[in-house]
Amino acid sequence: MGTYRAITMMTVIDKFLRLWFRPANNKLPDWPNGHDFAFSIVDDTDQSTLSNIRPIYNLLSELRIFSTKTVWPLATNEPEEIPSTGSSLQDPEYLDYVLELKRHGFEIALHGVRGGSSTREEIERGLSEYERLIGEPPRIHINHYRNLDNLYWGVDKVDGLVRRLMYRICRSEPNYGGHDPDSPYFWGDIALKQIKYMVNYSFHETNLANINAMMPYYDPARKFVNRWFHTSDGGVVDSFNRLLSDDNVEKLVRQNGVCLIYTHFGKGFCKHDKVNAETERLLCRLASKNGWFAPASEILAFMERNLPDDNISARQRKYVGWRWLIEKLLYGTS
């Protein structure tokens, strides 16, 4: 379906969902130091190499847009799967650059221990390697692609018989075992001890407060995750630029909103040592605004401290779940 038609249809559907579930319109906190909005980027490490990410991180550093970059502490074991390729912390030059980003104020996070599925024993080794190389455990973990060790992934992201059936019909995916104690890929108890925040849903919405301001939140049905948060779906260059369009940023500022963009800088943002021209223009314009540009976990921790509760209502969860599933069917993305 074309992007414009999908957006128009989603607008109509969202009005219906709001009438049906009546989700709460919780107010966001006032941002620190009088900032008008909060902004971060969560960059998944798929296909990342020094040559294809250095230009955009140099730009972000110059603009002082400090964000979150995920890494793999171990090298891929699925080199034939393109999404699972890219540099890992086992590459000394890449590791040096990641540590340089950390020193400059960027957050380093986990995208699974490697590109490819890992057993519990391998995950323990990968987490130990992460802490040895980065100097501290990760605060954020993002599931990767079709890693069988993903927690609450695929159909297990979805509640309710009807929604699960719809997902099964539309998506062909394996059963993920990160949260299943009977699986060789189980590590939910480890995640509960070591990981503070995890992403569950990504939306085609710049200001995430328009969907759910009650984040990060706890979901009692998914006991191995401490707190969940949402992201704005900018997985590729075009969708990233669309989220940061002039109109969308003006709306974000006006609404004093929060935007945490999920993306993959390793997938075509930089060519011949240059950042995509429109991406660069939009980021420069964004940086000129009175925003709080901070790593994702810093923004989430601030929001968490200002929440009246660490849970969301059943109707709010239903609204968020239906909204995400319908977007998934319309757009076909994460």
Side-chain angles (χ1 to χ4, degrees), residues 143-158:
N143 287 325
H144 170 63
Y145 187 49
R146 295 193 172 205
N147 279 14
L148 295 177
D149 48 280
N150 287 340
L151 293 105
Y152 305 108
W153 204 236
V155 74
D156 290 308
K157 294 177 74 167
V158 182

Side-chain angles (χ1 to χ4, degrees), residues 34 166 230 233 259 283 285 293:
M166 289 173 63
H230 311 313
D233 194 344
C259 180
L283 287 172
R285 186 175 184 276
F293 303 107

Side-chain angles (χ1 to χ4, degrees), residues 153-169:
W153 204 236
V155 74
D156 290 308
K157 294 177 74 167
V158 182
D159 291 318
L161 181 61
V162 174
R163 273 176 284 164
R164 290 175 70 88
L165 181 61
M166 289 173 63
Y167 191 95
R168 287 284 195 194
I169 291 171

Side-chain angles (χ1 to χ4, degrees), residues 78-137:
E78 294 183 357
E80 72 285 354
E81 292 282 355
I82 292 177
S84 292
T85 60
S87 298
S88 76
L89 299 185
Q90 297 305 304
D91 178 338
E93 190 178 1
Y94 188 78
L95 171 62
D96 286 346
Y97 187 67
V98 167
L99 293 174
E100 181 183 334
L101 289 176
K102 183 173 182 284
R103 286 192 296 271
H104 286 171
F106 290 87
E107 175 180 31
I108 310 304
L110 189 73
H111 195 36
V113 298
R114 65 183 173 192
S117 303
S118 300
T119 63
R120 180 184 179 91
E121 181 181 350
E122 292 165 333
I123 290 168
E124 289 178 320
R125 178 166 62 88
L127 287 170
S128 177
E129 186 74 344
Y130 179 104
E131 187 166 359
R132 181 181 75 84
L133 295 172
I134 300 300
E136 60 188 1

Side-chain angles (χ1 to χ4, degrees), residues 187-255:
W187 66 292
D189 57 333
I190 301 172
L192 188 64
K193 291 178 182 177
Q194 295 198 24
I195 308 295
K196 179 65 174 176
Y197 303 115
M198 281 185 56
V199 171
N200 54 358
Y201 301 134
S202 284
F203 296 95
H204 292 263
E205 169 65 54
T206 304
N207 180 10
L208 292 166
N210 289 332
I211 292 173
N212 178 31
M214 289 286 290
M215 67 173 195
Y217 65 89
Y218 176 69
D219 183 349
R222 292 167 175 83
K223 63 181 181 180
F224 293 119
V225 172
N226 282 296
R227 297 293 182 275
W228 293 103
F229 70 101
H230 311 313
T231 54
S232 302
D233 194 344
V236 295
V237 177
D238 289 345
S239 57
F240 184 92
N241 290 348
R242 191 159 49 245
L243 285 168
L244 291 186
S245 71
D246 296 345
D247 287 346
N248 281 340
V249 168
E250 289 303 322
K251 185 177 177 182
L252 177 70
V253 175
R254 188 169 62 252
Q255 294 177 340

